Amino acid sequence: MTNSRNTAVKILKKVLHNNAYSNIVLSEYLNRENLDRRDRAFITEIVYGTLRYKYTIDSILNSFLKNGVGKLDEDILNILRISIFQLRYLDKVPEFAVVNEAVELSKRKSFKLSRLVNGVLRNYLRKRNIVGFGQNGDKIGRLCFKYSFPRWMVELFISQYGEGVGETILKNSNIVPKITVRINSLKADYKQVWNKLEESGYDVERGTLCREALIIKKGSSIESNSLFKRGYITVQDESSMLVARIMDVKENMTVLDLCSAPGGKSCHISELMGDTGKVYACDLHENKLALVRENADRLGIKNIICNKIDAEEYVEQFQGISDRVLIDVPCSGLGIIRKKPEIKWTKNKNSINNLIKIQRNIMINASKYVKKSGKLIYSTCTLNKMENDENIRWFIGKNPQFKLEKINCGDFENIIYNRGGYMTILPSENVDGFFIAKMIKYR
């Protein structure tokens, strides 16, 4: 029988030490190993929870390890991490069971180190209520410990959004996300899908921002459901859904999606256009375009044309042909930490600065493909204003033939509208953080 905690340790090693994507490696292990539903849920909870609270967990461990976490064996460290997560953040697992399982698991690596594991965990249990973890730092340090974020990221959110909004971003980025699906208007209507899901035992509710959004509050894997397999629904966050809605697409338009994979927005655009016109879905990697084709086929979409191109490089055939050009550019992903908590530990300031150059190259290149009176839509899943607001101001300054067109999706507590017209969506219980700007080409 597969040991759930051992599987979690293996997954964490790949994510934290081999830079693997949590969702991909988790899916690989869950599909490969003989696990029942409860084990799958437990592993998922431990992996994402440990990634989410790694800063806080490591700070605690540093209090009990003479040489700190940096010199500890990777497997032993991850055994300790998942154990502190369970002891601090879960109340459904008995404390003695957490400690015993950790010790037995560490014995496979080293009997000597198993004694260390036992000592650290029991020491934590004795002192957790009398040691003021994280209470002695400055204001930023306390926020780092409370919400488990690296210092540079806390400083970025506080400096760009102020203390109140900045702390809300930190807090909401730790919310465990629900699954949101988009109803495919080419195949089904909203009520039909709602009823079918309820009949299948799902607890559902209406989306917050988009009329075609439906939130899965409780239920089995949605991608195993026949409605998903038959293309009636597709998994997509509501913030991402808003992009296609904001583009104002109409039947028989020509639309270019320069950074398309895995195709969620391209397919949504096609649905809104009634599968008419042309949607050019482009990506740098052929294997990612295969995902676009797979999604389009499942959803019954025929008007998507896939193209393997580099969004930074000019392609003459696209010069001035598009009614709408979407650039959902590569970004730091600071708005989707709810779903990919390892972003806290895999991003840094230098990597963001490198991204800004790429984003601006894509913007300039994409602008050449927009026809007169056409629109250029810029979106990211980050909350970093250097990649969002500052990029838009830079682009408009360099390209006076484009002007911002105001976006208004209604009054929501988590949406910030800039006077210039673009919008920032803050992470909340049901949506990821996102940024969208729409620019019209006047000449």
Side-chain angles (χ1 to χ4, degrees):
M1 180 179 291
T2 300
N3 183 291
S4 298
R5 291 176 176 84
N6 190 40
T7 300
V9 167
K10 290 178 181 178
I11 294 170
L12 286 170
K13 186 174 184 177
K14 285 185 174 292
V15 175
L16 293 173
H17 304 285
N18 298 332
N19 297 319
Y21 294 110
S22 60
N23 59 323
I24 294 175
V25 69
L26 182 64
S27 178
E28 288 175 355
Y29 272 87
L30 294 185
N31 292 329
R32 185 173 67 200
E33 301 195 4
N34 184 25
L35 299 163
D36 62 25
R37 185 173 172 180
R38 289 179 61 186
D39 283 338
R40 292 167 67 92
F42 186 52
I43 292 168
T44 301
E45 185 173 37
I46 291 177
V47 167
Y48 280 127
T50 302
L51 289 172
R52 193 170 285 121
Y53 293 107
K54 187 180 85 71
Y55 181 97
T56 306
I57 291 168
D58 284 0
S59 297
I60 291 170
L61 289 174
N62 278 326
S63 299
F64 299 109
L65 291 167
K66 183 178 180 180
N67 296 317
V69 299
K71 295 185 178 181
L72 201 58
D73 176 88
E74 292 174 357
D75 292 326
I76 297 298
L77 174 56
N78 286 325
I79 290 169
L80 284 169
R81 280 169 170 161
I82 68 169
S83 301
I84 294 293
F85 168 72
Q86 293 169 79
L87 294 172
R88 186 174 181 87
Y89 297 102
L90 299 185
D91 55 12
K92 61 187 177 184
V93 184
E95 292 176 354
F96 74 88
V98 174
V99 176
N100 289 345
E101 287 288 336
V103 171
E104 291 303 312
L105 199 54
S106 57
K107 282 180 181 177
R108 301 182 186 182
K109 183 77 177 180
S110 164
F111 185 80
K112 179 181 177 181
L113 290 176
S114 73
R115 294 171 63 187
L116 171 71
V117 168
N118 184 61
V120 168
L121 296 180
R122 294 192 183 282
N123 206 8
Y124 168 73
L125 288 174
R126 283 194 300 270
K127 297 182 178 180
R128 62 181 171 185
N129 294 323
I130 60 174
V131 177
F133 299 114
Q135 300 303 309
N136 299 322
D138 59 353
K139 183 181 292 184
I140 296 295
R142 289 194 294 273
L143 290 174
C144 290
F145 185 86
K146 181 177 181 179
Y147 297 109
S148 198
F149 274 78
R151 188 178 185 91
W152 75 267
M153 207 175 282
V154 174
E155 290 174 340
L156 183 145
F157 289 139
I158 297 300
S159 66
Q160 292 188 356
Y161 290 91
E163 289 186 16
V165 175
E167 186 168 357
T168 297
I169 291 171
L170 298 173
K171 177 183 177 182
N172 290 349
S173 293
N174 284 334
I175 293 174
V176 178
K178 302 184 185 80
I179 298 294
T180 305
V181 297
R182 187 186 77 237
I183 312 299
N184 179 3
S185 58
L186 299 176
K187 288 192 172 186
D189 62 56
Y190 197 96
K191 190 63 178 176
Q192 177 188 9
V193 172
W194 179 294
N195 290 339
K196 289 285 187 184
L197 286 171
E198 285 194 327
E199 289 171 11
S200 301
Y202 291 87
D203 184 6
V204 298
E205 67 181 14
R206 283 193 172 274
T208 307
L209 304 177
C210 278
R211 69 186 73 170
E212 54 267 76
L214 191 151
I215 299 167
I216 311 294
K217 296 168 65 178
K218 191 176 181 181
S220 58
S221 171
I222 195 64
E223 293 184 0
S224 300
N225 187 277
S226 62
L227 289 172
F228 179 88
K229 293 178 178 179
R230 290 156 59 195
Y232 284 48
I233 56 176
T234 199
V235 177
Q236 187 180 23
D237 189 84
E238 280 193 77
S239 294
S240 181
M241 290 184 211
L242 272 181
V243 175
R245 275 284 171 198
I246 284 167
M247 289 175 67
D248 307 318
V249 294
K250 297 177 176 61
E251 290 187 357
N252 297 310
M253 276 187 169
T254 297
V255 178
L256 181 59
D257 183 354
L258 271 184
C259 309
S260 176
K265 297 178 188 68
S266 290
C267 290
H268 193 192
I269 291 165
S270 295
E271 292 166 17
L272 294 176
M273 288 168 55
D275 203 23
T276 64
K278 294 178 180 178
V279 177
Y280 291 98
C282 306
D283 200 89
L284 179 60
H285 305 286
E286 182 60 42
N287 62 319
K288 290 186 177 181
L289 285 174
L291 296 175
V292 180
R293 296 187 187 96
E294 182 181 312
N295 277 321
D297 289 344
R298 181 178 58 82
L299 296 168
I301 291 168
K302 309 296 183 186
N303 71 340
I304 288 181
I305 304 163
C306 290
N307 292 266
K308 181 181 177 297
I309 65 168
D310 185 340
E312 293 184 78
E313 296 182 4
Y314 175 70
V315 179
E316 187 175 1
Q317 75 176 87
F318 291 144
Q319 173 71 42
I321 69 166
S322 295
D323 299 286
R324 304 286 185 269
V325 176
L326 169 62
I327 42 174
D328 186 55
V329 296
C331 70
S332 59
L334 302 188
I336 58 170
I337 291 172
R338 292 189 322 142
K339 292 191 175 77
K340 296 181 179 180
E342 71 270 20
I343 286 171
K344 294 181 183 182
W345 325 119
T346 58
K347 300 297 180 182
N348 56 58
K349 289 181 180 180
N350 289 335
S351 65
I352 289 178
N353 291 334
N354 292 335
L355 281 169
I356 291 171
K357 181 180 179 182
I358 294 170
Q359 291 159 355
R360 292 185 175 186
N361 287 343
I362 292 174
M363 293 174 80
I364 292 296
N365 197 38
S367 67
K368 300 170 185 175
Y369 304 146
V370 185
K371 64 172 58 172
K372 185 179 178 182
S373 299
K375 297 177 183 180
L376 175 65
I377 294 83
Y378 177 92
S379 68
T380 74
C381 58
T382 188
L383 299 172
N384 176 24
K385 291 189 177 184
M386 292 184 291
E387 299 175 73
N388 296 337
D389 309 50
E390 291 186 24
N391 270 353
I392 295 301
R393 286 194 289 267
W394 173 86
F395 176 79
I396 293 294
K398 295 280 187 181
N399 297 272
Q401 71 273 30
F402 283 88
K403 294 188 182 299
L404 279 162
E405 186 171 279
K406 282 201 171 186
I407 298 171
N408 194 318
C409 300
D411 294 329
F412 296 93
E413 287 186 359
N414 65 315
I415 294 183
I416 300 172
Y417 295 105
N418 178 272
R419 284 183 300 175
Y422 50 80
M423 66 187 289
T424 301
I425 307 168
L426 303 178
S428 67
E429 182 180 1
N430 292 324
V431 302
D432 288 332
F434 228 80
F435 176 86
I436 310 172
K438 179 168 57 174
M439 295 160 279
I440 186 166
K441 187 176 184 179
Y442 280 96
R443 62 178 190 272

